[in-house]
Structure formats: C-alpha cells, structure tokens
Amino acid sequence: MPASRPTRLVVLVSGAGTNLQAVIDACADPAYGATVVAVGADRDGIEGLARAERAGIPTFVRRVGDFTSRGHWDLTLTDTVGAFEPDLIVLAGFMKLVGTPFLERFTAKVVNTHPALCPSFPGTSGPADALAYGVKVTGATLFVVDEGVDTGPIIAQTVVEVADDDDVESLHERIKTAERAMLVDSVGRIAREGMTVFGRQVRFG
Ligand code: GRF
C-alpha cells in the first residue's frame, strides 16, 4: 500500500463500536497512516453508527431482511463498500458473515477481530464458551477473513487471563480492552508497512 496517502479504511459494525472508536481515535494522528472513509452496519440505531456520525464519517446500513436473498445483500454490500475504494476493510464486531463475492472483490483486504484465541471458540459466543470450558487464558485474534467462521490466517493475538470470579460480561470487557489495543496496533502496521499473506502465514511488510 502506498505510504504517500493514508490507508483508506471501511469499518463494518453491528453494536457498541468501541473497537471502531479506538481506530477513529488512532486515525486522528496523521502518523498513524490511516483514515476511516466510511462505516457500515447491518442494522440501524446502534452506537457504532452514532460514533461514526459524531466523527463526521459517512455511514451506510444494509440490512439482510431488506433484500430478496442473502446473495443479493452480499452483492449490494460489496458494491457499497467498493464505492469507497478501501485499501482495508475492518470487521469490528460485525455480526454477519460476508459472502464469496465480497471476499473475491477484496481478496486479503478484509480483517476481522474475534474475542477468543483462534482456533479455539469460534462463533458468536467466544467469551462465554471459553468461560464454560474453564480455560485459564483466552484473548482476542485479528485474522484475514476467509470463507469459514473465524478460520482465516492469523495476523495478531493478545492474551487475557481468566479470573476465578469472572462472568461473561467481565471477561468480555477485559478481552475488549486488549482487543482494541491489538486492533489499533495491527491496523496501523498494515497501513504503514503493508501485509503479506502466504497460505496461513501473515507478515507485516
Ligand atoms: C468485540 O469483542 C468483537 O470481537 C465481538 O464483539 C465485540 C464488539 O465490540 N465480535 P464493539 O462493538 O467494538 O464495542
């Protein structure tokens, strides 16, 4: 990616958007090397969209239920994101799987953050599943999105200890603190250094 201009990020969210906020805040420093050009969501009325609006970032919503098929939704999402000419697409708490057309258009440019240490505990209840299993450490994983559920090549991971008195909420909040730092650090490195993917091996630069 060229270093001469900020890396263009499109961020997709479904909820509170604290990971998005961390990226927006980091982008305020020109030395970070990236700018959020749009924020998209699969639902209305979420704090993630409000955060983008407060920051003056264009937003869009594409709800699966408004389309005749999942495939049509995916194609529209692909075109909408593509119109912003992103260098990198960050799924930050986006609670939908993107489809093949999306991944083919943006090959190796889509990254997702998951609140568990992949390959453990994929899916939508990573913190709860880790707690139920009784693991002593868990964390978060940033990966390059592929066709599977939280199966893509790993960019970065961060480790969080599980406390004896943790419940799902307290554990997930501690994971999210570490997750935001990992996301900001990794997206910045991708923006400034680039990223190469060889099979399952991911390297900055
Ligand atoms: C994050 O832990 C993300 O990994 C998970 O949902 C959470 C989203 O948090 N899928 P936020 O919306 O960024 O606050």
Side-chain angles (χ1 to χ4, degrees):
M1 291 170 200
S4 52
R5 63 162 176 81
T7 292
R8 296 172 64 83
L9 309 177
V10 170
V11 183
L12 301 183
V13 296
S14 297
T18 63
N19 281 282
L20 164 67
Q21 187 70 59
V23 173
I24 291 172
D25 292 347
C27 287
D29 180 356
Y32 185 66
T35 183
V36 181
V37 296
V39 172
D42 63 330
R43 62 199 72 188
D44 299 296
I46 54 170
E47 181 61 16
L49 288 171
R51 290 176 189 276
E53 284 159 12
R54 285 197 294 271
I57 298 166
T59 63
F60 59 88
V61 176
R62 297 291 180 271
R63 300 187 308 179
V64 172
D66 292 340
F67 293 86
T68 50
S69 68
R70 183 73 180 231
H72 186 204
W73 172 80
D74 195 76
L75 283 173
T76 303
L77 182 70
T78 303
D79 285 344
T80 306
V81 170
F84 289 98
E85 301 183 349
D87 299 310
L88 187 71
I89 299 153
V90 181
L91 311 187
F94 187 58
M95 302 302 281
K96 290 284 183 299
L97 294 175
V98 293
T100 305
F102 191 97
L103 294 176
E104 285 181 348
R105 170 99 172 249
F106 306 114
T107 305
K109 285 185 176 179
V110 188
V111 302
N112 187 19
T113 176
H114 176 62
L117 292 174
C118 295
S120 295
F121 312 120
T124 57
S125 52
D129 293 345
L131 199 61
Y133 199 90
V135 295
K136 301 301 186 193
V137 293
T138 182
T141 303
L142 184 70
F143 61 93
V144 181
V145 177
D146 66 8
E147 304 268 351
V149 177
D150 303 323
T151 53
I154 292 170
I155 302 165
Q157 293 186 298
T158 185
V159 175
V160 170
E161 289 194 10
V162 180
D164 288 347
D165 61 352
D166 262 329
D167 57 20
V168 175
E169 194 180 340
S170 65
L171 179 59
H172 195 179
E173 280 308 312
R174 230 165 44 260
I175 290 171
K176 283 177 65 168
T177 299
E179 184 178 27
R180 288 189 287 267
M182 174 189 70
L183 182 67
V184 165
D185 178 64
S186 297
V187 168
R189 289 196 65 184
I190 294 168
R192 295 184 302 274
E193 303 171 33
M195 174 178 74
T196 48
V197 183
F198 296 107
R200 289 210 58 85
Q201 309 306 315
V202 181
R203 301 282 182 269
F204 296 115

